[in-house]
Amino acid sequence: IEVSNESKSYNIDVITEDIIHIFDNIGQYEFKKESTYKGKVEVDQKEDEIVIKLDKYVIEVKSNLFINILNLKVEELFSMVTPSDKVVNKVNLELLEAEGHKAEKSAESKPISFAHKLNEDDKIYALGERASFLDRRYYAYENWNTDDPSAHNEQYRALYKSVPFYIVFNSRFQYGIFFDNHFHTYFDLGKSYKDELKVEADGGNFNLFFIGGDTLKDIVTSYTSITGRTHLPQLFTLGHQQSRWSYMNEKEVLELA
């Protein structure tokens, strides 16, 4: 299904009953996984939105191409919003200037960006290997592989791997987002605004997979059906490992080993 307004257009492909692919029509992007979905697709064109009803989800496409995805209980799972740092509070700006302060301009927008709501009780499993806690809500990270010897604490934004996938879950539902973009990418997981998750990229396509499921395992299984799955390593590779980092001389290495 193609949806568009005056400024942009998206394709919405239903890959399986739990995978919805949303991507723009810029460049020569091609996704080769064939759709296996055989269920209901009902499209209702309304004055200010398009409603697409599927077996397990309802997709609402607003006139500005913001997209909401709901379950059959009419619970909003994924709901796009205007990033809070781009919303100008005119009253506060006028007060600031009236008091003699200079209003700083906000940072320029990245060419690719989106934001969506977070519920108060949402937790976020996100982005693979990070020097952080398991729940990564209220942190910000970058996908830009970095080998930096400085201290790897929970504020560290980039490490050795870039995995553009996160899972949002609470006691009522869970879903995953795979943002397939290979440019320098920025993930604000409620750090700047606690009720909002924001993703930006320096270039590339808007290329998002919404992945639903009844369990976290279902979501990861669907995610790896898109990306591919690694083979099990041979048993001998799972023995002790020794890092080369931080040892001052051969004597110290031999003593530790």
Side-chain angles (χ1 to χ4, degrees):
I1 300 170
E2 184 175 351
V3 295
S4 63
N5 60 17
E6 296 80 7
S7 60
K8 58 186 175 182
S9 65
Y10 290 144
N11 280 349
I12 300 176
D13 289 349
V14 184
I15 307 300
T16 71
E17 67 174 4
D18 279 317
I19 301 175
I20 300 167
H21 185 198
I22 305 164
F23 60 100
D24 62 31
N25 295 320
I26 301 171
Q28 297 181 347
Y29 175 77
E30 183 178 1
F31 177 61
K32 295 185 177 180
K33 184 177 176 63
E34 295 292 331
S35 172
T36 60
Y37 181 72
K38 305 297 183 186
K40 173 179 69 177
V41 179
E42 297 178 358
V43 181
D44 184 8
Q45 175 83 55
K46 298 185 177 182
E47 183 177 350
D48 59 347
E49 67 177 2
I50 298 170
V51 178
I52 305 167
K53 295 181 179 179
L54 309 173
D55 282 350
K56 293 181 68 173
Y57 304 101
V58 176
I59 306 170
E60 298 175 344
V61 184
K62 306 301 182 180
S63 58
N64 60 0
L65 293 195
F66 280 12
I67 292 173
N68 300 339
I69 300 178
L70 302 85
N71 60 21
L72 298 185
K73 297 178 183 177
V74 200
E75 293 173 312
E76 279 191 347
L77 308 179
F78 176 82
S79 181
M80 285 186 178
V81 295
T82 301
S84 293
D85 60 351
K86 304 305 177 189
V87 177
V88 177
N89 188 325
K90 192 173 181 180
V91 174
N92 286 348
L93 187 61
E94 290 173 352
L95 285 172
L96 191 68
E97 292 176 345
E99 292 174 356
H101 302 290
K102 182 180 178 181
E104 298 292 337
K105 291 184 178 180
S106 61
E108 290 186 9
S109 297
K110 302 292 184 182
I112 305 295
S113 67
F114 69 94
H116 63 89
K117 294 178 185 178
L118 290 173
N119 297 296
E120 184 176 355
D121 58 341
D122 283 343
K123 301 184 184 303
I124 304 172
Y125 288 160
L127 309 179
E129 180 185 42
R130 302 284 164 170
S132 181
F133 301 99
L134 188 60
D135 179 6
R136 291 178 180 159
R137 187 168 182 177
Y138 308 122
Y139 286 86
Y141 301 99
E142 298 177 22
N143 272 6
W144 196 246
N145 292 10
T146 304
D147 187 3
D148 186 336
S150 59
H152 292 174
N153 56 34
E154 65 267 22
Q155 280 78 40
Y156 204 78
R157 287 179 173 251
L159 273 174
Y160 311 109
K161 299 176 185 174
S162 294
V163 182
F165 172 62
Y166 57 89
I167 295 175
V168 178
F169 70 102
N170 55 47
S171 60
R172 302 175 305 284
F173 54 77
Q174 55 277 317
Y175 63 90
I177 297 294
F178 171 36
F179 184 58
D180 187 13
N181 183 297
H182 303 287
F183 281 70
H184 194 153
T185 313
Y186 311 82
F187 295 84
D188 188 321
L189 309 178
K191 178 179 171 64
S192 298
Y193 299 92
K194 66 184 180 68
D195 298 325
E196 177 182 298
L197 190 156
K198 181 181 176 183
V199 181
E200 296 181 298
D202 283 343
N205 290 70
F206 180 90
N207 186 21
L208 181 149
F209 294 82
F210 170 90
I211 304 171
D214 296 327
T215 66
L216 297 182
K217 182 178 179 180
D218 292 339
I219 293 170
V220 173
T221 298
S222 291
Y223 166 66
T224 58
S225 77
I226 300 169
T227 61
R229 301 179 177 122
T230 58
H231 295 288
L232 285 174
Q234 298 212 12
L235 191 60
F236 76 86
T237 67
L238 301 179
H240 296 292
Q241 298 186 37
Q242 190 71 34
S243 171
R244 66 178 177 82
W245 179 253
S246 79
Y247 304 113
M248 302 304 296
N249 52 52
E250 181 181 1
K251 181 175 181 294
E252 184 179 1
V253 173
L254 291 173
E255 287 175 352
L256 288 170

